[in-house]
Every structure is written in structure tokens, then in C-alpha cells.
Amino acid sequence: MKYVLVTGGVVSGLGKGVTASSIGVVLKACGLRVTSIKIDPYLNIDAGTMSPFEHGEVFVLDDGGEVDLDLGNYERFLDVTLTRDNNITTGKIYQSVLDKERRGDYLGETIQVVPHITDAIKTWVESISLIPVDGKEGPADVCVIELGGTVGDIESRPFIEALRQLSFSVGQENFCLIHVSLIPVLGVVGEQKTKPTQHSVRDLRGLGLTPHLLACRSAQPLLENTKEKLSQLCHVAAGNILNIHDVPNIWHIPLLLRNQNAHHSILQQLNLLSIAMPPDLRDWTKMAETYDNLTNSVRIAMVGKYVAFTDSYLSVVKALLHACVACSLKPSIDWIAASDLEDDSATLTPEAHAAAWETLQNAACILVPGGFGDRGVKGMILAAKYARENNVPYLGICLGMQISVIEFARSVLSLERADSTEFDEHTPNPVVVFMPEGSRTHMGRTMRLGCRRTLFQTPDCITSKLYHNSEYVDERHRHRYEVNPDVIGILEEAGLKFVGKDDSGRRMEILELPSHPFYVGVQFHPEFKSRPGKPSALFLGLILAATGQLETYLDQHPNTS
């Protein structure tokens, strides 16, 4: 196995994940098979219990793994299907070592960070890198490892030591280290400063790892004298200093790397030049340039809880992007804090309330994504009501589907106190209830998680047609509460149709309002499987409906399954 390790320095948030993904894309374009591992040095077992405000969205994998959002970047860029073990955390490593200690596997040894923790990290990396993730037999050619955080963080020390040992054990021709660092510009002079990168590389070398390539993040392209200075003071060949400057969209990053011959430097370090082909990035080039040349846009109202930190909805944003590009449009997302739509907001923050409603009413479609807790729920219900009554295309995902059921029960069935037991345990009309698959007392990995099958109940529904008249669809889930199966009868009598169910028939997966141009709710998360060039069917349907193209599209795309 050949390893490419991507580390970061100076500050976090430089785009290591996109850089690592783009490196994978370029290597894949050279005809190599690529897999990915993300190391997160935090003590959490996984990302499942983390606040979206602090850590961004929780990305869900087919096997139910709740992982860092960078694994979503890997899956989208490389078109692979990763496992929960492709995300390593300090918590997972320590838990595995302590479980062995409790079983007596260490025969009374004193358990230490070196060698027990570092050995566990190396073993994990070496074993997971062998698992194929591209649907083919046998291990990949290259494993791209991203080490989260920045060099010098206390919590990342065991991982750096383990990776140092790994580089030594596998040999230099099987290990390539790429260090991502910041080149800031300070003051009115506009000089590109190399000192932060120098210090970062010095820290890395002090820990026993020497970078083979530098990936320098900057607003503008690096000047030649900046490159020369970096080369001289960081002991990296000038040809191996890559500049990842700001670009119009992230699809340009693989092209930026290709244009700087990053693949040649990596392949040379890994002794792969003899088997690799010149990178074929024609599709990527077309995709990036197509997006740059788009002029028309569509306004999408995103009504959610976490809109102050848009990474909380990263996969939803990417799925909208994929769908819009497929329709030759640019997405224009209007972020609306659900609480600003509520009646109380009209009194407390009248300007925000008025602005939120104006934005909602000017949107071509409305999307209510997933979330937990009761904050903003009243605003989401008002948004669903507005979409339903005014024939505005609506897509509700997870909580967004539950919201549409609550709103319909209150407005159409006149059940004024209809609610989810998540928000009101004592509601006399529980239309959304806790389903007995998870735990009420534990938080981590206690939900309905991962890829599950949904069976279409009728071929006549819009959703089935968008999925090319397939009899079923496999999508990823992450939730605790579901539509109460006991109220399905009265809801359907009133016009709300549940067109997708699980194989038991008890779990409602997809709802539609046949009298509406496009009013769809899904219990699963279709955004997690959306890919560039392969948009999610439901997001595509939303954008088509928003632009008046849905009927034409469905007529032109009959059964193609």
C-alpha cells in the first residue's frame, strides 16, 4: 500500500479536506485506485453527538457511521462508499486499547501511549486502507490520509508519532507527506509572509516527519521569490511547492494541482510513474468551466435551525449545487433562521421577522432540512404551511418531513395540538412518535442510521418517477422520531399520501401531496448520496419544479431503470 499523508499547519480551516479529496481525484485520473482515511484527534468516539455549530454537519455513511464532514468530500469527489472505520478518532483508538486491556490481551503489561496507542493507530490504518471502497475487488493502490487539526496540537501527537513510525516501516517509496499551510498577506505593502509556514514545517520536522510537498493556501497566486524562499528555508524542492490559491469553485482544485504537476511529484515519490497514466480530467474541466459560465440562478429558501453556520448543512448545499448545475443554473440559497418566521419574532425582532418573510415569499422553492430539538419548529411549520397553500415547491428532509405532517394535521385536520412527542410528550394528537429502534437514554449511535430500503407503494407518484420508476430506493437515515403509523389512515383520507414505506409497512419514508405541483417529504437524507454529475433525484425534482420544468423532464425521462 502507498500512503499520502495530508497534514495542516498555522491555522485550521485551510481546506485540508478539499485538498486531500482533490489529490485523490488527480491520482484516480491517473488510473490509480484510491481510498481515504480521516483522522480526527478529538476524544469523541464519532461525530454523532457533536453540535452542528461547532463541528458542522454529521455525515452519515451506508453502514450507519456518523463521521466527519470531510468524508462527505471524499465520497463526492472520488465517488466511493466509505465505512465508519475510515474515520479514526482518539476515542475509538483508546476505546479499542482499553477493551483489550480489560480482556487481558496485554498479559499484565503497563499500557502506554507508546507503544500501545501508536501500535493501535498503525494497525487500524494498515487494515482499513486494504478495504476496497470503489466496488472493485482487492485493495486500492493509494490511501490518502488526512490528519485533522494542526501540527503542534497536543491531541494529535500520538497520531503523528504513529504516522512517523508507519513511514519508517513501509519505506520512503511508499509514503508521501503533503503539508498544507497558510501564506498570509499583511499590511498595505501586500508582502506574502512565509514565516508561519517555516515555523509549521520546523515543528513537523521536530516530530520526525519531513514534508515532500508543500500545499500553500493563499488569496492570490504565489510569487516566484516566495516559492524560492519557502524552498530554501523549508527544505522542499521548488517544483514540489504547490499553490492552492482562491478559485471560483472548488472543482478547480484538482485542475490547479494537475496544472502544477502535483501528480508527477507524488507519483515520483511513491515510485508509481511506471504504472500511472497522464491524468484524464476532461470531465472535471468541463464541470468546473460549465459552472463558471452559468448566468441564470434559482432562489432557494433554506429554512433551518443552524443557518448561522452553513457547514451544518454542507451536504444539502452540495446536493442543491449538483441539481442546479444539471439544470444549467446557479443555486442562490437564501438562508432563513426558522425562529425569525415565528409570531414572537414579529414583536421581539420585527425587522428580522419582516426580512425572513419577504425572503421566503420571493423564493422559487422551499427546503426544510433535518435537525433536532424544538427551537425554530414553529417557524418551520409556518414555512411548510406557506408552501402548501401557495403551491410553492417544497422538500422536507427528515425533520422537514415531520414538520409537514404536523402542519397538515393542524391546518387540514383541525388537530390544533397535533405535534411530535419530541417537542410535546403530552400532546393529545401525537402524529410523530419515537420509534423503538434507538435508545432514549444514550446519544451516540442510538438512532435509525445508515442505508435502508424504501419500497414505493405506487408507480404513479412523482418520487417514483424521479427515481426512474424503480420499485425501491436505498437511502441513508439518521433520526429517532417517525410519523405515527396509527394516524396514516386519517392523513391519507384528507389527501396526504405516503408513497414510500419500509419493508414492514410501519415506517413512513416518503410523503407527497398529489394536489400540489411538488410537495415532498422524506424521512431519509438523500443529500448524502448526491454526487457531481449524478444529482440526487429529489433535489433535482425540487429544482425542476421551481423552474417549471418538472413535467417536461418526467415526460422525457420515462422508465430508464
Side-chain angles (χ1 to χ4, degrees):
M1 177 61 63
K2 309 280 188 178
Y3 297 97
V4 175
L5 172 62
V6 180
T7 60
V10 186
V11 293
S12 59
L14 286 179
K16 287 195 308 298
V18 172
T19 302
S21 302
S22 299
I23 290 165
V25 168
V26 176
L27 294 177
K28 186 177 178 182
C30 291
L32 300 172
R33 293 175 60 203
V34 181
T35 185
S36 296
I37 291 175
K38 172 68 189 295
I39 296 174
D40 283 303
Y42 47 68
L43 273 166
N44 304 62
I45 299 297
D46 57 34
T49 59
M50 290 185 172
S51 165
F53 286 116
E54 183 176 330
H55 204 69
E57 77 169 4
V58 176
F59 191 79
V60 178
L61 302 170
D62 268 7
D63 66 1
E66 297 174 284
V67 296
D68 185 86
L69 56 81
D70 279 320
L71 275 81
N73 284 326
Y74 304 158
E75 284 206 342
R76 284 187 288 269
F77 270 56
L78 298 172
D79 196 17
V80 295
T81 302
L82 300 172
T83 72
R84 61 164 59 94
D85 289 336
N86 288 85
N87 191 191
I88 304 173
T89 69
T90 297
K92 284 182 180 179
I93 295 295
Y94 274 79
Q95 186 180 57
S96 67
V97 170
L98 291 174
D99 285 346
K100 286 183 177 181
E101 187 272 336
R102 291 291 87 185
R103 289 198 304 264
D105 291 7
Y106 296 113
L107 300 175
E109 290 181 59
T110 301
I111 310 304
Q112 297 175 286
V113 173
V114 181
H116 300 99
I117 297 298
T118 51
D119 283 353
I121 295 167
K122 285 190 295 180
T123 300
W124 195 304
V125 167
E126 290 179 302
S127 60
I128 296 306
S129 64
L130 297 175
I131 298 175
V133 295
D134 57 2
K136 300 176 182 177
E137 295 290 326
D141 300 305
V142 180
C143 177
V144 179
I145 305 169
E146 180 195 346
L147 176 61
T150 56
V151 171
D153 293 345
I154 291 174
E155 57 263 35
S156 65
R157 290 292 176 92
F159 291 101
I160 290 179
E161 172 58 21
L163 293 164
R164 182 197 66 77
Q165 293 179 22
L166 180 68
S167 70
F168 181 74
S169 63
V170 300
Q172 283 298 303
E173 71 281 2
N174 295 315
F175 194 87
C176 179
L177 171 53
I178 301 173
H179 188 58
V180 182
S181 186
L182 177 68
I183 305 293
V185 172
L186 301 179
V188 293
V189 178
E191 181 185 359
Q192 294 178 337
K193 297 291 186 180
T194 64
K195 193 68 74 176
T197 298
Q198 291 178 46
H199 284 299
S200 180
V201 171
R202 184 186 64 192
D203 288 346
L204 192 58
R205 288 165 65 89
L207 294 167
L209 286 169
T210 299
H212 300 105
L213 293 90
L214 284 181
C216 299
R217 288 285 288 111
S218 60
Q220 301 297 327
L222 283 188
L223 301 173
E224 280 306 312
N225 67 324
T226 305
K227 274 193 176 185
E228 290 170 8
K229 194 173 180 181
L230 284 167
S231 175
Q232 191 173 37
L233 298 172
C234 296
H235 299 266
V236 176
N240 287 359
I241 295 177
L242 312 172
N243 182 207
I244 305 179
H245 55 76
D246 292 351
V247 289
N249 68 74
I250 62 171
W251 291 338
H252 280 281
I253 302 298
L255 307 179
L256 205 58
L257 293 172
R258 187 271 317 271
N259 294 343
Q260 297 176 71
N261 281 319
H263 58 285
H264 186 275
S265 298
I266 296 168
L267 294 170
Q268 188 173 44
Q269 173 62 32
L270 297 176
N271 196 25
L272 287 172
L273 282 173
S274 60
I275 67 167
M277 302 179 297
D280 181 2
L281 287 168
R282 285 174 292 184
D283 290 343
W284 271 91
T285 304
K286 182 180 178 182
M287 196 163 60
E289 292 178 350
T290 296
Y291 181 76
D292 289 343
N293 294 325
L294 293 175
T295 53
N296 296 327
S297 63
V298 56
R299 295 190 66 174
I300 306 154
M302 179 92 84
V303 183
K305 296 171 182 265
Y306 319 118
V307 295
F309 185 38
T310 56
D311 267 4
S312 302
Y313 301 114
L314 184 63
S315 291
V316 174
V317 171
K318 297 303 181 186
L320 287 171
L321 170 65
H322 303 157
C324 286
V325 170
C327 298
S328 299
L329 295 165
K330 281 193 173 183
S332 177
I333 300 176
D334 295 322
W335 298 92
I336 301 175
S339 54
D340 287 343
L341 295 171
E342 296 175 0
D343 295 339
D344 291 347
S345 176
T347 305
L348 299 172
T349 52
E351 290 183 5
H353 179 78
W357 273 103
E358 183 181 1
T359 302
L360 187 76
Q361 291 163 354
N362 287 330
C365 58
I366 296 170
L367 193 155
V368 178
F372 296 90
D374 61 358
R375 183 174 58 81
V377 163
K378 292 178 182 177
M380 293 179 194
I381 290 173
L382 289 169
K385 181 181 175 72
Y386 176 82
R388 182 179 59 79
E389 293 181 342
N390 293 278
N391 285 337
V392 178
Y394 175 89
L395 176 59
I397 297 173
C398 196
L399 175 61
M401 171 182 171
Q402 298 166 12
I403 289 293
S404 61
V405 172
I406 295 169
E407 189 280 320
F408 191 87
R410 291 181 181 181
S411 301
V412 178
L413 297 179
S414 300
L415 302 174
E416 294 181 6
R417 289 190 59 193
D419 214 332
S420 166
T421 54
E422 180 182 7
F423 313 133
D424 180 3
E425 291 186 7
H426 306 293
T427 173
N429 306 113
V431 293
V432 177
V433 296
F434 178 85
M435 295 290 271
E437 181 165 323
S439 165
R440 289 182 179 272
T441 56
H442 288 70
M443 299 297 287
R445 285 179 58 186
T446 54
M447 292 183 273
R448 184 168 167 81
L449 287 165
C451 194
R452 308 296 179 98
R453 179 155 294 182
T454 294
L455 305 176
F456 289 109
Q457 305 301 300
T458 168
D460 298 330
C461 63
I462 287 175
T463 312
S464 173
K465 292 175 182 177
L466 285 169
Y467 281 106
H468 306 309
N469 293 319
S470 175
E471 294 180 0
Y472 63 86
V473 63
D474 296 325
E475 294 280 12
R476 298 176 183 177
H477 293 67
R478 184 177 186 253
H479 59 90
R480 287 190 178 88
Y481 292 81
E482 299 184 45
V483 180
N484 186 350
D486 295 338
V487 300
I488 301 307
I490 58 169
L491 288 169
E492 292 207 314
E493 284 177 16
L496 198 65
K497 300 300 180 185
F498 292 89
V499 299
K501 301 179 182 181
D502 78 335
D503 53 9
S504 74
R506 295 278 295 169
R507 297 181 186 274
M508 304 300 117
E509 299 284 6
I510 308 172
L511 67 79
E512 289 185 12
L513 195 58
S515 60
H516 193 285
F518 188 89
Y519 192 88
V520 177
V522 291
Q523 187 58 73
F524 48 78
H525 289 264
E527 67 269 24
F528 291 141
K529 284 195 170 185
S530 184
R531 302 282 184 269
K534 301 176 185 177
S536 161
L538 291 167
F539 282 83
L540 182 63
L542 177 69
I543 301 304
L544 288 168
T547 53
Q549 302 177 71
L550 181 60
E551 285 190 23
T552 303
Y553 174 85
L554 295 178
D555 289 341
Q556 293 175 349
H557 296 79
N559 190 357
T560 56
S561 60

